[in-house]
């Protein structure tokens, strides 16, 4: 057993050394990994240099574009300012003799030169060229004027009946604006229309309460609009009663003892006329003020001798003695 243990120990040491050598030789080579990292670093440096160069080119192009745009805008503005250029008789606003700094300049060039250059470019784009003076038959020099293609007058170049056609067209357009069959005439007497008493003239007279069209409701059919057969405005066959909470109270539950006690004094919902409270339909516990403060608010108390005075009449109301 001892010999086998020594054998296994040496086998583990040998395998450990061989596996380390094999891993560093084929799986994790230090020299190969160092070369790979160097190549990656070189590629990154090259890429950064290209990006910096591309950025510099883009910045230069953007600055040139902004400068060209500003120059084009400046030329467009100064192309129509030729009337501000100085003459031999009078100095212009950009070349004022009262300006101690001298003529106004842009980019080191006087503004008047910019204006002259812009005007010349504008004339060249429009095909206008500067020509010298010509000598006429009298021997005097004058500005050359291009003769017209036709020597006829403006009236001679138009059609013979142009004026008549224009008048007819004006009259035709004027008629299109008429609203009636006849021409508009002012200053004559206006004929009044025959008088009519109203929209209901000639129809049968009905009282307002019998007219189906004046009664609220939605007709169900055509027969509802007839006077004798209409049901609009008439009471229904079954009377409509509002729903209440009960005979004791219309707002509170009827199984509460306080509600039942108040209903015995005030008469509840349906028997307020037979209540025993001091005030009609209101329990005595509804007012917590002192008796001195409530003087004059309560009717006279009932008594046995005054039964005839406070007895209910045929309508259910109690009569008070005068």
């Amino acid at each position: 057993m001892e010999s086998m243990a020594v054998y296994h120990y040496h086998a583990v040491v040998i395998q450990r050394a061989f596996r380390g050598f094999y891993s560093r030789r084929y799986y994790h080579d230090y020299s190969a990994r160092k070369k790979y990292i160097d190549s990656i670093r070189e590629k990154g440096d090259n890429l950064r240099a290209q990006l910096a160069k591309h950025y510099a080119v883009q910045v230069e192009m953007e600055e040139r574009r902004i400068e060209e745009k500003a120059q084009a805008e400046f030329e467009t503005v100064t192309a129509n300012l030729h009337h501000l250029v100085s003459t031999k008789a009078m100095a212009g606003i950009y070349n004022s003799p009262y300006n101690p700094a001298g003529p106004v300049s842009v980019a080191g060039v006087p503004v008047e030169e910019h204006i002259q250059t812009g005007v010349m470019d504008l004339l060249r784009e429009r095909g206008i060229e500067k020509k010298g003076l010509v000598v006429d038959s009298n021997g005097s020099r004058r500005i050359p004027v291009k003769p017209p293609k036709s020597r006829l007058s403006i009236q001679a170049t138009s059609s013979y009946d142009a004026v008549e056609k224009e008048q007819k067209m004006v009259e035709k357009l004027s008629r299109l604006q008429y609203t009636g069959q006849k021409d508009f005439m002012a200053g004559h007497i206006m004929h009044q229309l025959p008088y009519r008493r109203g929209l209901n003239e000639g129809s049968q007279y009905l009282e307002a309460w019998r007219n189906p069209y004046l009664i609220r409701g939605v007709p169900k059919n055509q027969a509802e609009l007839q006077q004798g057969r209409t049901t609009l405005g008439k009471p229904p066959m079954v009377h409509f009663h509002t729903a209440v909470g009960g005979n004791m109270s219309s707002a509170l539950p009827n199984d509460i003892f306080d509600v039942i006690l108040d209903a015995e004094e005030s008469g509840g919902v349906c028997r307020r006329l037979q209540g025993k409270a001091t005030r009609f339909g209101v329990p005595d516990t509804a007012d917590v003020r002192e008796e001195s403060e409530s003087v004059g608010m309560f009717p006279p108390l009932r008594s046995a001798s005054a039964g005839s005075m406070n007895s209910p009449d045929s309508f259910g109301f109690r009569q008070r003695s005068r």
Side-chain angles (χ1 to χ4, degrees):
M1 294 296 292
E2 185 178 357
S3 60
M4 291 298 295
V6 173
Y7 173 78
H8 287 302
Y9 171 74
H10 289 288
V12 169
V13 172
I14 294 171
Q15 290 181 4
R16 183 185 303 164
F18 177 76
R19 288 177 180 177
F21 165 75
Y22 191 84
S23 174
R24 286 172 175 79
R25 180 67 179 79
Y26 295 101
Y27 294 104
H28 190 73
D29 191 355
Y30 174 76
S31 300
R33 185 170 182 81
K34 185 176 180 181
K35 292 181 181 179
Y36 173 74
I37 293 175
D38 293 340
S39 64
I40 294 297
R41 184 185 299 108
E42 183 179 0
K43 290 181 180 179
D45 295 339
N46 295 335
L47 181 60
R48 280 194 293 270
Q50 293 179 2
L51 292 176
K53 184 178 180 181
H54 182 66
Y55 175 75
V57 172
Q58 284 187 339
V59 170
E60 183 180 359
M61 292 177 60
E62 183 66 18
E63 292 178 354
R64 188 183 307 168
R65 186 187 66 83
I66 295 175
E67 184 179 355
E68 291 178 356
K69 182 179 179 181
Q71 182 66 23
E73 184 177 357
F74 180 75
E75 292 178 357
T76 303
V77 173
T78 57
N80 297 320
L81 300 180
H82 55 87
H83 57 282
L84 301 179
V85 180
S86 301
T87 61
K88 294 181 180 180
M90 182 177 296
I93 61 175
Y94 298 110
N95 190 19
S96 176
Y98 303 101
N99 188 5
V104 181
S105 60
V106 176
V109 180
V111 177
E112 290 193 351
E113 295 186 10
H114 286 290
I115 294 175
Q116 293 174 359
T117 305
V119 171
M120 293 176 61
D121 295 339
L122 179 63
L123 295 177
R124 190 178 301 107
E125 291 178 0
R126 296 181 179 181
I128 302 175
E129 298 180 359
K130 183 178 180 181
K131 298 180 181 180
L133 300 177
V134 297
V135 180
D136 57 4
S137 59
N138 298 326
S140 59
R141 304 178 65 183
R142 62 180 179 82
I143 300 175
V145 178
K146 187 177 181 181
K149 296 181 180 180
S150 177
R151 294 182 178 275
L152 298 176
S153 62
I154 298 177
Q155 184 177 2
T157 54
S158 61
S159 58
Y160 179 75
D161 56 346
V163 179
E164 185 179 357
K165 289 182 178 180
E166 182 66 20
Q167 292 178 357
K168 290 182 179 180
M169 180 57 67
V170 172
E171 294 178 359
K172 184 177 180 180
L173 295 177
S174 179
R175 292 194 193 96
L176 294 178
Q177 300 177 359
Y178 291 172
T179 57
Q181 298 295 333
K182 298 181 180 180
D183 295 342
F184 176 76
M185 298 177 61
H188 63 280
I189 301 176
M190 184 64 184
H191 297 284
Q192 299 292 337
L193 298 176
Y195 173 74
R196 295 185 61 181
R197 292 187 296 177
L199 298 176
N200 297 328
E201 182 181 1
S203 60
Q204 183 182 0
Y205 175 75
L206 294 176
E207 296 289 345
W209 60 274
R210 299 183 62 182
N211 191 348
Y213 292 95
L214 301 179
I215 301 177
R216 287 188 176 182
V218 180
K220 299 179 181 179
N221 47 37
Q222 187 65 26
E224 294 284 348
L225 300 178
Q226 299 180 8
Q227 178 183 357
R229 302 177 59 182
T230 182
T231 58
L232 299 177
K234 297 180 181 180
M237 300 298 296
V238 179
H239 296 280
F240 175 77
H241 298 279
T242 57
V244 296
N247 295 332
M248 302 298 178
S249 175
S250 59
L252 301 175
N254 287 248
D255 54 352
I256 301 177
F257 291 105
D258 294 340
V259 175
I260 297 174
L261 180 60
D262 292 341
E264 290 181 356
E265 296 180 358
S266 62
V269 178
C270 302
R271 299 182 180 181
R272 292 185 180 274
L273 299 177
Q274 302 179 6
K276 302 177 182 179
T278 305
R279 289 186 291 174
F280 172 74
V282 181
D284 295 340
T285 58
D287 201 340
V288 297
R289 289 179 292 186
E290 297 295 337
E291 184 176 359
S292 60
E293 298 179 1
S294 58
V295 174
M297 295 181 56
F298 300 96
L301 299 177
R302 302 172 184 174
S303 60
S305 60
S308 59
M309 292 188 300
N310 296 331
S311 59
D313 55 4
S314 59
F315 294 98
F317 297 94
R318 301 182 183 276
Q319 299 179 355
R320 296 178 61 182
S321 58
R322 299 181 179 179

